[in-house]
Amino acid sequence: MAPTSKRGSAKKPGLLEEAPEALLQAVIIADSFNRRFRPLTLEKPRCLLPLANTPIIEYTLEFLALGGVEEVLLYCHAHHDQITDYIRESKWSKESSPFQIRVIYSPSIMSVGDVMRELDQSRLIKEDFILVSGDIVSNISLQGILKEHKARRLADKSCIMTSVLREISPRHGSRPRGENALFILDQNRERILHYEYLKQSDSESPVLLPRELGKTCPTMSFQENFLDCCIDIVSFEVPPLFTENFDWQHSRKDFLHGILMDELYGKTVYAHILKSGYAGRIQSLQTYDAILHDITRKWTHPFCPDTNLNQQTYKYTRGHIYKESKVILAQSAVIKDNSIIGAGTSVGDKTVIAGATIGRNCTIGKNVELHSTVLWDNVVIGDNCALGNCIVANDAHIGDGCTIEDGAVISFGVTIEKGSNIPATAKYTKISTKKEKESGRFTQVVHSKTKTLNEYEDSEDDEDEQRETSMGGLSVLEDESDYSDISDFEDDEEIPGKRKKGHARTSSESEADSFFREAYNSLLGALKQSHSVDIMILELNGLRMSANAEFSEVRRATVAAVITYIVSKITGNENTTKVVDATVEKLLPLFNRMIFEVNDQAELLGYVQRELAGKERGGTLMQAIGMKLYNEDLCDDEGLLAWWNEGNGPQGETPEMTKVREGAKAFVKWVEEQDEDSDSDEESEEEDDDDE
Amino acid sequence: MVVADENPPALAKFLKAVTTVKADDATEILIGLLKRREIKSSRNVAKATTKLLLRFVSQNRHTKLSESQGLIKDVRELGRNLVSAQPRELVIGNIVRRVLGVIREECHDNNSIPGFADLPLGGRLSRASSVGDESADLGSNPGSGTATPHSGRPFSRDGGEEDIDAMSRRKSKAYIPPNLRNLTRQGSIALPNPSFGENNLQHALFSLLQSRPEELPNDSPGLKPQSKEPFEDKDIRGDVIEGIKELMEELEQVDEQVASHSETHIHANEIVMVLGSSATLQAFLMRAAIKRRFTVVMIEAYPNDYQATQEILKAPSKFTTPIGLKQPGKNSSARDEPLTTAELKATLTSIGVETILIPDSAVPAVMSRVNKVLMGTHVILRNGSMITTAGARTVARCAQEHSIPVVVVSGVYKLSPLYPFDPDSMLETGESSTVIGWADSEMVGNAEISNPTMDFVPGELVDHYITNVGGYTPQNLYKLVEEQYGTVIDTLE
């Protein structure tokens, strides 16, 4: 962990020191770990994007200040430098801030789970704390909920979390699409008994519930109509739970689901269902639009534009129109209800602004129509344009006579040629690839829509971007059902040899698993880049020491890597035996360091068998590898027979594994015969080398 | 009704913090609290503002009389910051202006004691009438502030010397003729004027010039101050702090002082219609209840007071902790939020006042049976209009139709010297969710919902204001404004 900045460590004696109890802490995760706001988030982190012309993080911090929070830990990953700078300059790092704020950057955090594990290691948490993401907009007072939580903790030691939920009707505009979840609550609607994340695509498929559920609670309430605000009051016992379960990434799908599924934990989670007040989370462009809608209409009072959270000068006029001072409006311009206009903006003749949000210093030409459009700062819009419900980011330039449909996103500094027609769900950015971004060379200004779009799609993250584009725009119905929040970890499952486990894991198992993954990856990489075997040994040893792994784990990982390597090598017409021989010979010293006795040999062969199961030419390979190992003295006949006899029964072997075993039958039979011979003759086994 | 130990959490937190941190930080903290609307009733906002000003003045570097202009400037700046944090809470501006008044008064008092007050100036200055004769003064100067509510003097907003000048006029302890005043302002006073040759008059001039001592010819023996402590070095901080403390005391005593008028306004067997439920209103009714028997008709005030009202009807016992009659004002300070209608009703019921709760829609029907309409207020404006709980205007209009008197009780600290040029901009719009549930998707997407929590009631609809300094009609309110703020009205907005 690398705390990039620590401020206010010895500050505010008056406000804080007198409190005898521990400080009320809050943890903000200022990264969403997904790409829903691309391409905007290529240049700015989501929490600094303006919402009603105020950075989103301000709403979250104000909300925490309202809740009486005294210390804030802000974890960030992407664009951490921008976030650090912003917080340093903001009022929250001043002496007068209601809480101490600490920005913590760690390059290793890729999910909520990682943050929790970091938190566990950092030991910054002493008491129950508030866990929110950096994109919450809410005006509820946390004090009551905290009191409730504490009382519950006293009564029920196993209660580890209180989640804030809101009921919402299915067709409500603010309901996040593609984020459906089933909550099962007890009859008082207080305790959460079960949580199930629902993918939209397989809404037909049945939800499997644990059998015990019915026994503990005869009456249950099944509800899908919750808006999960992602405001949790979390016990200090939770971060260690994440450490134990290294594969928990998501606070809901993994943690909440996992903890409730498994009786072994014996933990309970409660829900606080909001009766009044506003709470929402900006999860996607659609929710961004919905929450902006609510802010403009004063649902989030007092956090509305005219509260001027960020040193603005907004004034409220009837019909939810907010104007800053120094707005220049043409006489014939029409401002309709629910509009926000920032300072320094000028609006041309006959322009209609209907429910639009306009940032500072924008120039809007004549005869323009803005319907629910979101313009950020310094946007220039030419004459005779028509913009729908789209986002136009800072410094963008829209030429005369353009039409932009609902759901389009124009990112920072993009210029749209005059007369263009931007279709719904199109997204434009100046930044086309990461490389170019790093070298400071930006793709040139767009001349036609097709060109940019192509450039954008040609970028490195081709797949991601395309998926992004298909995600649709603000209020356009989104279908992101197959979209996983944590794309970085998706490929975990492809690792061969990873055992599918139940939900109960002991801590050693999970460590072993993580060791396996790392060892496997490093070995495979080394093999492919044909590093010398000494380097491999060194690396593997280091990993083994740090993870305190057993040799059996080392063998498993090594075998998995070697088999993958060999299999990838022999796809062509190459001689199987040759490849195997070459590889094993190269790795001799490595194998020598992990095989000590007969059982090890048997185990190694067992792993080989398992890895080869289902592979093409698995039987042939099994025989080739077995023979090579035998010839190189890595395994003697005792070990070979031990493996052969161990798995002889049907138990523990899939048909595929049996098939692999059958491939080695001839060889084993031969060894068996040799063995019998040598038993009688007491001959040395050296001779066998010649007979292949 | 649960009475907390002392103050509501947000206010208590602030009052605690303000004594330990620097004044600038305390300002920032208060701005944060105001923006988040954590301090809710205007009484508590007033208290917090006064406390902050006390801290600010005691830490300000301008302590000397000669630096009073700097102090005034700093306080005004602070006031602007606070007002912008919650522009519709006019009480902040009122308190800041009152404190500015205190500072000006101190400046004047100190100037006048050695300079003017004990000097027989009258005969010597050509156009001056006698010292202390305010009426003569006002008579001789048309447009000097009392004539119409919104006729400020042209120079009254410049700050600078004329602030003191105006204060001195108001206090009528000394008077400087306009011609001399003008000269002073231009900075080109004609010292060698032969008619000002006498020593005591030089004192007078000296005190006029106190803010720019560098212009004084130091070598002139006649201009040297006679007393041991030079005037410009006199520390006025203590006196200003004293003045602010008096203001704080006033805030504590408001309810009791207002309540003392109750017996003359509520008579036996009257039916009083009550809208809103401020602490002042509660104290007023409770004091009256000691001697009189009367009936109170409460209006439910949907939507902002509505839920609490429903709750009391369902579970009355929850609220009926009686409150001692001896200390009507104390209860109010212990609350973060303003009293709700339900709580007021419970309190009244507990001391034996017959109370009837009616929905807002029944007001016109019940009005004919009522003897008097009683209201609290959020703010009173200088032209006699007021800003108060939403729904008040309808009630007042209805009362006018039935020729029922509308009486408003309020502390004088709620009296704002502002004129409502744009009443709409003075009204706070609250959470929409109190009008309709947010989960109601049918309405939320398709209807425009607005929840103005305040109502503007023009002066014509109000018959009488009862303040802690006596009763006023809306038409005479400007006199009270003059008394409280003087003629110098600082622009803070």
Side-chain angles (χ1 to χ4, degrees):
Chain A
M1 188 193 70
T4 49
S5 59
K6 288 186 180 183
R7 274 180 303 277
S9 43
K11 279 182 188 172
K12 280 172 269 129
L15 271 181
L16 303 174
E17 267 177 15
E18 283 158 49
E21 316 142 29
L23 301 181
L24 177 57
Q25 291 174 309
V27 174
I28 304 181
I29 302 171
D31 201 322
S32 50
F33 308 114
N34 61 40
R35 292 153 180 254
R36 292 179 192 167
F37 271 73
R38 291 277 176 109
L40 297 168
T41 45
L42 286 173
E43 284 155 85
K44 233 182 187 190
R46 184 194 289 189
C47 62
L48 294 185
L49 299 179
L51 174 70
N53 298 338
T54 301
I56 293 172
I57 189 98
E58 287 288 324
Y59 294 94
T60 311
L61 292 170
E62 291 282 354
F63 159 65
L64 292 176
L66 190 65
V69 170
E70 290 155 303
E71 188 180 4
V72 172
L73 304 173
L74 190 124
Y75 278 88
C76 52
H77 178 71
H79 301 291
H80 59 93
D81 42 342
Q82 284 186 41
I83 297 174
T84 312
D85 288 348
Y86 179 84
I87 296 291
R88 193 189 302 128
E89 298 304 316
S90 74
K91 61 181 173 187
W92 304 106
S93 358
K94 286 189 194 160
E95 292 267 327
S96 54
S97 158
F99 43 67
Q100 280 173 245
I101 187 161
R102 207 186 277 204
V103 182
I104 298 166
Y105 162 64
S106 168
S108 67
I109 52 173
M110 302 300 288
S111 69
V112 176
D114 291 334
V115 173
M116 299 300 274
R117 283 183 278 276
E118 285 269 320
L119 207 57
D120 185 33
Q121 279 171 22
S122 68
R123 308 202 180 282
L124 290 167
I125 293 295
K126 289 134 210 148
E127 273 293 313
D128 291 7
F129 61 99
I130 299 161
L131 177 69
V132 294
S133 58
D135 43 21
I136 298 282
V137 177
S138 176
N139 61 0
I140 56 172
S141 165
L142 282 172
Q143 269 109 2
I145 304 170
L146 278 168
K147 213 180 269 173
E148 222 173 76
H149 175 79
K150 280 195 185 130
R152 218 178 269 141
R153 286 274 288 167
L154 283 178
D156 178 5
K157 281 273 177 289
S158 63
C159 158
I160 52 163
M161 186 161 96
T162 302
S163 278
V164 178
L165 302 174
R166 278 178 97 184
E167 278 182 287
I168 182 169
S169 59
R171 300 179 57 79
H172 199 288
S174 294
R175 191 185 169 96
R177 302 205 177 92
E179 291 275 341
N180 294 331
L182 174 71
F183 286 87
I184 302 178
L185 306 170
D186 69 348
Q187 67 261 42
N188 300 329
R189 301 208 312 152
E190 280 171 350
R191 202 181 133 189
I192 304 179
L193 299 172
H194 186 75
Y195 172 88
E196 193 74 41
Y197 182 79
L198 302 175
K199 286 185 176 176
Q200 228 166 21
S201 54
D202 52 32
S203 54
E204 299 290 309
S205 70
V207 174
L208 298 172
L209 301 176
R211 199 180 288 271
E212 297 78 35
L213 210 60
K215 289 181 199 156
T216 45
C217 259
T219 320
M220 286 178 281
S221 141
F222 287 66
Q223 285 189 284
E224 205 205 323
N225 62 336
F226 281 126
L227 177 70
D228 192 346
C229 313
C230 294
I231 300 166
D232 297 335
I233 294 153
V234 180
S235 137
F236 61 90
E237 297 159 27
V238 169
L241 283 172
F242 270 89
T243 312
E244 273 176 34
N245 298 273
F246 75 97
D247 61 337
W248 281 354
Q249 307 296 350
H250 198 273
S251 66
R252 290 283 183 273
K253 265 184 277 188
D254 299 322
F255 167 67
L256 187 57
H257 179 82
I259 206 99
L260 294 173
M261 272 299 268
D262 206 315
E263 293 252 304
L264 280 178
Y265 292 112
K267 303 289 184 197
T268 52
V269 176
Y270 286 82
H272 177 93
I273 299 167
L274 282 183
K275 293 187 181 69
S276 64
Y278 187 88
R281 184 183 169 203
I282 300 158
Q283 290 164 310
S284 57
L285 289 172
Q286 176 238 337
T287 37
Y288 175 92
D289 188 49
I291 290 176
L292 178 60
H293 180 282
D294 292 337
I295 288 175
T296 324
R297 286 160 180 80
K298 287 258 182 191
W299 291 97
T300 57
H301 179 86
F303 304 131
C304 295
D306 60 331
T307 309
N308 298 319
L309 293 179
N310 210 18
Q311 308 288 325
Q312 298 126 322
T313 55
Y314 282 104
K315 288 228 166 74
Y316 175 84
T317 36
R318 212 167 257 195
H320 303 304
I321 297 171
Y322 307 83
K323 269 190 298 209
E324 247 184 309
S325 51
K326 295 175 193 147
V327 174
I328 304 157
L329 298 175
Q331 263 188 346
S332 51
V334 181
I335 312 290
K336 291 192 177 161
D337 287 1
N338 308 315
S339 296
I340 306 173
I341 306 178
T345 291
S346 67
V347 178
D349 283 326
K350 291 185 185 160
T351 288
V352 179
I353 293 173
T357 303
I358 300 168
R360 284 185 170 175
N361 302 318
C362 293
T363 311
I364 297 161
K366 292 171 191 166
N367 216 2
V368 175
E369 284 194 27
L370 302 176
H371 290 282
S372 313
T373 315
V374 182
L375 308 182
W376 294 353
D377 296 345
N378 305 322
V379 174
V380 178
I381 294 184
D383 300 342
N384 305 315
C385 289
L387 277 72
N389 188 4
C390 59
I391 293 179
V392 182
N394 292 9
D395 306 304
H397 194 293
I398 314 277
D400 294 349
C402 289
T403 313
I404 301 180
E405 287 180 29
D406 290 356
V409 174
I410 312 292
S411 187
F412 298 90
V414 170
T415 303
I416 304 285
E417 282 284 293
K418 62 180 175 186
S420 311
N421 187 358
I422 311 294
T425 73
K427 300 186 180 191
Y428 294 95
T429 179
K430 260 178 132 180
I431 294 174
S432 66
T433 69
K434 275 182 188 162
K435 261 185 208 160
E436 278 173 325
K437 187 190 170 192
E438 277 157 20
S439 65
R441 192 171 68 83
F442 295 146
T443 324
Q444 262 320 297
V445 163
V446 188
H447 296 295
S448 71
K449 53 175 183 176
T450 40
K451 197 181 163 198
T452 8
L453 208 57
N454 283 339
E455 277 178 342
Y456 186 55
E457 283 174 355
D458 278 347
S459 65
E460 277 179 7
D461 335 75
D462 202 1
E463 268 176 61
D464 293 317
E465 306 301 340
Q466 275 180 344
R467 192 156 49 184
E468 278 309 306
T469 326
S470 70
M471 270 168 55
L474 303 177
S475 55
V476 179
L477 212 126
E478 294 179 22
D479 178 30
E480 38 183 293
S481 47
D482 60 341
Y483 188 78
S484 162
D485 259 4
I486 312 109
S487 49
D488 307 67
F489 282 84
E490 270 172 0
D491 44 3
D492 272 7
E493 314 214 335
E494 291 159 21
I495 297 173
K498 185 182 172 184
R499 284 174 289 160
K500 295 274 181 258
K501 289 189 198 166
H503 283 274
R505 291 157 208 264
T506 62
S507 104
S508 70
E509 265 177 325
S510 47
E511 269 171 22
D513 239 0
S514 84
F515 164 77
F516 172 79
R517 190 173 47 180
E518 281 182 44
Y520 170 82
N521 284 331
S522 82
L523 257 183
L524 192 61
L527 277 168
K528 278 184 179 162
Q529 290 161 28
S530 34
H531 287 171
S532 88
V533 71
D534 293 337
I535 294 178
M536 293 183 209
I537 291 170
L538 210 64
E539 259 183 47
L540 208 58
N541 254 342
L543 280 170
R544 185 176 61 83
M545 303 291 228
S546 66
N548 199 15
E550 293 182 9
F551 275 102
S552 114
E553 289 297 326
V554 179
R555 282 190 286 272
R556 182 160 78 97
T558 316
V559 167
V562 171
I563 298 296
T564 316
Y565 177 69
I566 291 175
V567 168
S568 73
K569 270 278 186 182
I570 57 165
T571 42
N573 285 328
E574 276 199 70
N575 190 346
T576 315
T577 333
K578 220 171 160 185
V579 174
V580 171
D581 284 1
T583 316
V584 176
E585 257 165 47
K586 193 186 167 194
L587 295 178
L588 265 182
L590 186 66
F591 282 118
N592 270 328
R593 274 162 197 267
M594 59 175 78
I595 298 173
F596 308 102
E597 48 183 278
V598 176
N599 285 346
D600 299 348
Q601 300 170 5
E603 200 188 59
L604 185 78
L605 287 167
Y607 284 136
V608 173
Q609 182 193 4
R610 190 188 312 198
E611 291 302 330
L612 284 171
K615 294 263 163 46
E616 203 186 336
R617 287 196 271 174
T620 329
L621 275 170
M622 186 69 224
Q623 175 150 358
I625 292 169
M627 253 158 81
K628 187 66 196 165
L629 291 175
Y630 186 76
N631 290 341
E632 294 291 343
D633 265 357
L634 284 170
C635 116
D636 51 24
D637 35 66
E638 227 178 305
L640 198 64
L641 293 175
W643 161 67
W644 184 257
N645 296 327
E646 182 187 72
N648 241 353
Q651 78 277 14
E653 249 183 43
T654 61
E656 280 160 341
M657 279 169 79
T658 320
K659 219 169 136 193
V660 172
R661 173 193 294 273
E662 289 308 308
K665 197 174 179 179
F667 168 65
V668 174
K669 284 287 167 238
W670 176 81
V671 172
E672 227 165 354
E673 280 164 26
Q674 292 288 315
D675 199 28
E676 278 161 19
D677 289 353
S678 56
D679 269 354
S680 54
D681 297 346
E682 295 292 314
E683 290 247 70
S684 81
E685 291 134 35
E686 248 67 32
E687 293 166 20
D688 302 330
D689 283 12
D690 309 321
D691 325 30
E692 280 198 27
Chain B
M1 195 177 320
V2 186
V3 180
D5 298 341
E6 264 196 6
N7 283 309
L11 181 63
K13 205 169 85 186
F14 174 72
L15 293 183
K16 203 171 169 190
V18 79
T19 52
T20 50
V21 299
K22 278 187 272 168
D24 287 350
D25 293 332
T27 314
E28 290 290 318
I29 294 174
L30 182 59
I31 287 175
L33 290 174
L34 288 173
K35 281 196 173 176
R36 286 189 288 274
R37 308 291 194 269
E38 283 191 65
I39 303 179
K40 279 175 183 126
S41 80
S42 50
R43 172 83 50 87
N44 290 335
V45 171
K47 276 185 188 168
T49 314
T50 340
K51 187 89 183 185
L52 174 67
L53 282 163
L54 186 68
R55 181 79 179 160
F56 183 79
V57 169
S58 63
Q59 285 196 350
N60 196 281
R61 62 200 159 85
H62 303 291
T63 61
K64 302 284 188 290
L65 183 58
S66 58
E67 299 162 336
S68 61
Q69 288 316 311
L71 182 61
I72 287 173
K73 212 174 138 225
D74 288 350
V75 171
R76 204 188 288 142
E77 199 51 44
L78 173 81
R80 287 198 180 121
N81 288 336
L82 289 179
V83 165
S84 69
Q86 202 171 328
R88 288 173 218 93
E89 188 58 271
L90 300 179
V91 165
I92 302 169
N94 298 349
I95 296 290
V96 173
R97 288 187 185 96
R98 288 280 289 275
V99 170
L100 284 169
V102 168
I103 298 170
R104 290 192 181 111
E105 197 173 327
E106 291 307 325
C107 292
H108 162 76
D109 286 354
N110 284 302
N111 278 341
S112 57
I113 289 160
F116 285 100
D118 48 357
L119 291 174
L121 272 174
R124 297 208 167 87
L125 293 171
S126 54
R127 279 184 56 203
S129 49
S130 65
V131 177
D133 186 357
E134 193 178 21
S135 59
D137 160 17
L138 295 174
S140 66
N141 283 291
S144 61
T146 43
T148 50
H150 37 275
S151 74
R153 274 190 253 170
F155 47 80
S156 64
R157 294 193 179 194
D158 299 351
E161 289 88 341
E162 63 273 16
D163 286 352
I164 299 162
D165 178 304
M167 186 58 67
S168 61
R169 168 193 297 263
R170 184 170 73 80
K171 281 290 156 183
S172 69
K173 283 178 181 161
Y175 173 64
I176 308 108
N179 54 352
L180 183 54
R181 185 164 57 228
N182 289 337
L183 284 173
T184 320
R185 194 162 59 249
Q186 287 151 12
S188 60
I189 189 150
L191 274 174
N193 190 325
S195 66
F196 294 123
E198 275 148 322
N199 202 24
N200 48 8
L201 189 59
Q202 278 163 1
H203 272 293
L205 284 170
F206 182 83
S207 58
L208 270 179
L209 290 166
Q210 41 76 31
S211 62
R212 51 184 87 205
E214 73 282 354
E215 286 183 22
L216 287 170
N218 283 331
D219 49 349
S220 158
L223 277 168
K224 284 251 167 79
Q226 305 280 306
S227 61
K228 281 189 182 132
E229 188 190 39
F231 305 137
E232 67 261 39
D233 287 348
K234 185 169 186 322
D235 198 334
I236 57 164
R237 181 186 280 171
D239 298 330
V240 173
I241 287 176
E242 211 46 51
I244 298 177
K245 282 192 173 148
E246 273 169 32
L247 191 57
M248 291 168 99
E249 262 169 49
E250 183 193 316
L251 289 177
E252 293 294 335
Q253 294 166 354
V254 157
D255 287 342
E256 246 168 298
Q257 288 169 345
V258 174
S260 62
H261 298 276
S262 65
E263 281 169 32
T264 51
H265 289 277
I266 296 181
H267 307 293
N269 301 321
E270 266 191 339
I271 299 173
V272 183
M273 183 182 273
V274 172
L275 174 68
S277 42
S278 71
T280 317
L281 198 54
Q282 183 188 327
F284 190 82
L285 289 169
M286 282 168 75
R287 176 70 77 89
I290 296 172
K291 287 210 174 161
R292 308 258 194 266
R293 281 186 63 80
F294 55 93
T295 306
V296 171
V297 177
M298 306 255 354
I299 305 170
E300 146 187 89
Y302 185 87
N304 295 312
D305 267 355
Y306 167 69
Q307 280 202 324
T309 316
Q310 294 294 318
E311 265 170 41
I312 168 131
L313 294 176
K314 284 178 204 151
S317 59
K318 197 171 149 195
F319 293 96
T320 43
T321 315
I323 279 127
L325 288 179
K326 301 279 186 247
Q327 40 191 337
K330 191 147 192 193
N331 166 46
S332 64
S333 63
R335 301 184 44 81
D336 199 2
E337 303 186 28
L339 284 172
T340 60
T341 310
E343 282 165 340
L344 176 54
K345 181 177 182 292
T347 317
L348 290 171
T349 317
S350 69
I351 58 164
V353 177
E354 192 184 341
T355 315
I356 302 162
L357 183 74
I358 59 164
D360 303 294
S361 53
V363 168
V366 178
M367 192 57 86
S368 58
R369 303 177 153 235
V370 165
N371 298 90
K372 196 166 278 162
V373 176
L374 203 59
M375 291 182 191
T377 183
H378 184 64
V379 130
I380 308 171
L381 299 161
R382 79 179 291 158
N383 71 343
S385 51
M386 66 166 179
I387 292 168
T388 182
T389 324
R393 187 169 184 161
T394 330
V395 174
R397 182 70 185 79
C398 185
Q400 190 191 40
E401 209 57 35
H402 288 86
S403 301
I404 310 285
V406 175
V407 178
V408 176
V409 291
S410 160
V412 81
Y413 71 96
K414 287 184 174 175
L415 176 66
S416 169
L418 297 180
Y419 186 86
F421 292 109
D422 179 14
D424 252 12
S425 69
M426 292 176 167
L427 306 180
E428 172 98 352
T429 310
E431 255 177 286
S432 302
S433 59
T434 47
V435 181
I436 210 161
W438 180 79
D440 189 343
S441 60
E442 297 291 314
M443 292 295 274
V444 170
N446 304 312
E448 293 300 337
I449 297 150
S450 176
N451 175 23
T453 54
M454 296 292 158
D455 220 346
F456 177 77
V457 182
E460 303 91 85
L461 299 180
V462 181
D463 293 275
H464 204 67
Y465 285 105
I466 303 165
T467 70
N468 47 334
V469 292
Y472 286 82
T473 60
Q475 293 76 24
N476 284 327
L477 219 51
Y478 71 92
K479 281 185 187 161
L480 188 58
V481 172
E482 196 100 340
E483 218 170 85
Q484 293 293 321
Y485 299 97
T487 47
V488 187
I489 306 299
D490 295 86
T491 323
L492 298 175
E493 278 74 26

